[in-house]
Amino acid sequence: MMSDEQQTVIEPRPAWSRKKIGLLIFAVIVLVGASLFQFAAGKVRQVAEQTLLVQANEAVNGQVIVGGIDLSILGSVEAKEVQVLDAAGKLLAKISRIQISYSWSDLLKGQLGPQLVTGVVVEKPEVWVVYNQDKLNWDGLLKTKQEQEEASFAGLVEVEGGKLHVETAFFAKTVDQLTGNIDFRQADQLGFAASGKVDETALKLGGQWGSQGTSEINLSAEGMDLAKLGLTSADDPIQLTGGRLDELTVKLGKDASGAVLLQTLAGRFSGIATTGALALTQGSARFEKQDKAIQFLDGQALYRGQSVTGAGRVLTSVDGTQTLDFAVQMPAADPAALVPSLKTGGMLAAQGTITGPVLSPVLAGNFTLGSIQFDDIVVNGITGAFSYAQETMKLLTAHGTSLGGSVSASGDINPDTEQYSLSVSGSGLDSSKLTDKDVKGPLAFTGTASGDAAAAVVQGNFSIDNGKAYGISFRTLTGSFIKQGSAATEIGNLVIKTDIGTFYPEQLSQSVMERLQERKLPVTKEEVREAVTDKLIQKLFR
């Protein structure tokens, strides 16, 4: 038996937990996967550059340019900084990134044909759409099946965070926050559905387009601020300052020959306000496309607070010029609201047409007015014709009755400043009602009126036929007159023709005196002047 017992010491082996083993296996897989991914990425990039881009260009009548191509870890080919050009080299779209998904088996085999694509996501696209003179800039971009040498993509394309720049003959605007999808599943036909915003207005876009079958694009919008569309500029003679597009429906299609047509354009607007040559408020109307024109219906607005109604068309010529063809009415207006400085009575009614370029139209028509008063003279039953352009109204003709006769006027009027320059005339007026002097006979006059209601200058010539002045009969009494503002009318250059001859009150001759004496009329110059001259010259007219 041994005294010192000898013991054997066994060293413990390192313990391998399941967690450590799992991490090791994962690291190996990642390392192998990364190597395979790098291999696959290089192979895919090479194939994509050699085939995918070529196929994309073969599918369009234009050019597709790609800034770079990569393979994502999720199994999609990423094309970055993509540009789409039309046949003329004009930019139609640019895209930040396109993710094209394939199965891993196809990727590893290097098979990237468009028919193998399982999905496409387009990120931050920016697209330009121009419709002008019945032509759409995107029309004819995609080749038909017969034009393509190989099978094409047949799937859905998702669009995220895009911008759409729309330009037409009526407006140019950008749609932000564009999202939606494009459907390529039908041969030679492109379907799409999208939504976005113009300022704060929601838009919806949908339809289908292609070389075969039905082609139509539908656009709808509600509540668009028209003042933000840029329809007018600061230097235009008429500026749009307010208004709301309550509803809008647009539909593009094709005719039998394949030409692009604006099939539907309809909607309504309200709250229109304009400044410049034509200042309107609370304008509203419905509108719809009819052939080559846009028809406006149930139009109404306020001009200086007075109701105006109308309907008509906006015509577009071959060169894109837009002209107006409208009929308008002001059925019952308060003339004091339109020309407050004039003394008027009754109601003003007018009807006319608006024609010419959209931003510099011409208004022409007819009007009636109950009455207008100048000092103590009242003209009743006024009718006339006018034209209005560039803030100036031309009074073409105006006729009325006063003092048993008729009066007429024509010339230019500025409604804003109420300045006018008119030619005036009258005939058959009862001269006894124009003066408190003993003068009788039908009076006629011609002259001019200029200035404004507060400081008008009226001047001209007059004649009275077959009348009497203080018991003296005459064939004609003629002279000139001038009236400035509220001052008394001044009379001058009087000439009296009688049966015994012609005489001038301030230049009476001896022969005239003798002929007056033979008829037992006043014979001295003093007596004649008392009976005729002084009475006529001193305020013959009020």
Side-chain angles (χ1 to χ4, degrees):
M1 188 172 191
M2 298 177 61
S3 58
D4 294 330
E5 186 176 357
Q6 190 174 11
Q7 298 180 350
T8 303
V9 179
I10 301 174
E11 296 290 336
R13 296 181 179 179
W16 287 83
S17 66
R18 291 184 178 182
K19 183 177 181 180
K20 290 183 178 180
I21 294 173
L23 290 173
L24 179 61
I25 294 173
F26 178 75
V28 172
I29 292 174
V30 170
L31 182 61
V32 173
S35 300
L36 291 174
F37 177 77
Q38 292 295 330
F39 171 76
K43 184 177 180 181
V44 168
R45 186 182 302 109
Q46 182 180 11
V47 173
E49 290 175 349
Q50 292 176 351
T51 62
L52 192 60
L53 184 57
V54 173
Q55 292 170 354
N57 277 283
E58 289 177 348
V60 299
N61 293 307
Q63 186 179 9
V64 178
I65 301 173
V66 178
I69 297 177
D70 289 315
L71 177 65
S72 74
I73 192 67
L74 299 178
S76 61
V77 176
E78 294 185 349
K80 300 178 180 179
E81 304 303 328
V82 180
Q83 296 183 53
V84 180
L85 310 179
D86 65 11
K90 293 182 179 180
L91 183 65
L92 296 177
K94 62 180 182 179
I95 304 167
S96 177
R97 182 171 65 171
I98 302 177
Q99 297 185 48
I100 308 171
S101 299
Y102 294 89
S103 67
W104 269 107
S105 61
D106 290 331
L107 285 174
L108 294 176
K109 293 176 184 177
Q111 297 177 347
L112 303 180
Q115 73 277 10
L116 301 176
V117 175
T118 61
V120 177
V121 177
V122 178
E123 298 179 3
K124 297 181 180 180
E126 192 168 3
V127 182
W128 286 263
V129 175
V130 179
Y131 179 75
N132 191 21
Q133 298 182 17
D134 294 335
K135 293 182 180 180
L136 187 69
N137 63 331
W138 278 77
D139 196 33
L141 176 68
L142 295 177
K143 292 181 180 179
T144 64
K145 281 284 187 180
Q146 292 76 12
E147 294 176 307
Q148 299 180 44
E149 297 179 357
E150 299 183 10
S152 60
F153 168 67
L156 284 175
V157 175
E158 299 291 332
V159 179
E160 299 177 353
K163 286 187 177 182
L164 175 63
H165 304 282
V166 180
E167 180 180 339
T168 73
F170 302 98
F171 66 90
K173 203 63 179 176
T174 297
V175 180
D176 295 307
Q177 302 179 31
L178 183 65
T179 60
N181 61 74
I182 306 173
D183 189 349
F184 289 87
R185 290 176 294 187
Q186 186 175 351
D188 298 327
Q189 200 78 2
L190 184 69
F192 49 88
S195 63
K197 283 190 174 183
V198 175
D199 299 320
E200 297 302 318
T201 303
L203 297 180
K204 292 182 178 180
L205 184 70
Q208 53 188 358
W209 199 264
S211 58
Q212 304 294 330
T214 302
S215 292
E216 62 180 38
I217 300 174
N218 296 289
L219 170 68
S220 63
E222 294 182 357
M224 184 178 296
D225 187 346
L226 292 175
K228 293 181 179 181
L229 285 180
L231 299 176
T232 60
S233 59
D235 57 351
D236 286 332
I238 300 175
Q239 297 96 44
L240 178 67
T241 59
R244 174 186 173 91
L245 184 61
D246 301 307
E247 295 179 5
L248 173 66
T249 301
V250 180
K251 181 178 179 181
L252 292 177
K254 289 184 178 182
D255 62 13
S257 67
V260 180
L261 294 177
L262 178 61
Q263 295 179 336
T264 301
L265 175 63
R268 59 184 176 87
F269 55 81
S270 62
I272 295 296
T274 62
T275 59
L278 182 62
L280 299 175
T281 59
Q282 300 183 30
S284 64
R286 295 186 296 112
F287 61 91
E288 60 184 31
K289 176 184 178 295
Q290 293 184 357
D291 296 327
K292 297 292 184 180
I294 306 299
Q295 186 79 26
F296 288 81
L297 308 167
D298 302 329
Q300 55 185 343
L302 295 180
Y303 175 69
R304 297 194 175 187
Q306 306 307 297
S307 177
V308 179
T309 61
R313 304 179 298 167
V314 177
L315 304 170
T316 303
S317 63
V318 176
D319 63 359
T321 303
Q322 295 176 331
T323 56
L324 301 178
D325 181 17
F326 276 73
V328 294
Q329 302 83 34
M330 184 180 284
D334 180 3
L338 303 177
V339 280
S341 62
L342 295 180
K343 295 180 180 180
T344 56
M347 302 302 291
L348 172 66
Q351 50 280 323
T353 60
I354 300 177
T355 57
V358 170
L359 294 178
S360 56
V362 175
L363 169 64
N366 304 301
F367 72 94
T368 60
L369 175 63
S371 65
I372 188 169
Q373 182 175 349
F374 301 97
D375 289 334
D376 295 333
I377 302 175
V378 179
V379 182
N380 296 297
I382 302 167
T383 62
F386 67 92
S387 67
Y388 179 81
Q390 302 296 327
E391 302 184 41
T392 298
M393 177 178 291
K394 288 188 177 295
L395 189 61
L396 304 178
T397 60
H399 305 283
T401 60
S402 181
L403 303 176
S406 64
V407 293
S408 302
S410 63
D412 294 341
I413 302 174
N414 189 314
D416 293 328
T417 63
E418 299 186 27
Q419 295 280 327
Y420 54 81
S421 176
L422 303 175
S423 296
V424 294
S425 63
S427 62
L429 280 68
D430 185 349
S431 61
S432 66
K433 296 181 180 180
L434 283 170
T435 177
D436 57 0
K437 312 307 178 184
D438 186 12
V439 177
K440 298 178 181 179
L443 180 143
F445 71 91
T446 60
T448 60
S450 60
D452 55 38
V457 176
V458 183
Q459 58 185 332
N461 301 303
F462 71 92
S463 65
I464 302 175
D465 295 334
N466 301 317
K468 285 187 177 181
Y470 292 93
I472 300 177
S473 298
F474 55 82
R475 294 178 180 176
T476 61
L477 187 159
T478 62
S480 61
F481 65 91
I482 182 170
K483 179 174 177 56
Q484 304 185 58
S486 60
T489 303
E490 299 179 17
I491 304 298
N493 302 317
L494 290 176
V495 177
I496 301 175
K497 293 183 178 181
T498 68
D499 290 341
I500 60 174
T502 300
F503 65 92
Y504 304 89
E506 294 183 350
Q507 298 177 357
L508 296 178
S509 65
Q510 185 60 38
S511 62
V512 173
M513 297 298 102
E514 292 175 353
R515 277 178 284 178
L516 291 174
Q517 185 178 23
E518 292 175 357
R519 293 174 177 265
K520 297 182 179 180
L521 295 174
V523 294
T524 67
K525 291 184 178 181
E526 290 73 15
E527 290 174 329
V528 172
R529 287 195 177 95
E530 181 181 355
V532 181
T533 308
D534 293 342
K535 300 296 183 181
L536 294 177
I537 294 179
Q538 295 173 12
K539 299 182 181 179
L540 180 60
F541 296 94
R542 296 179 186 176

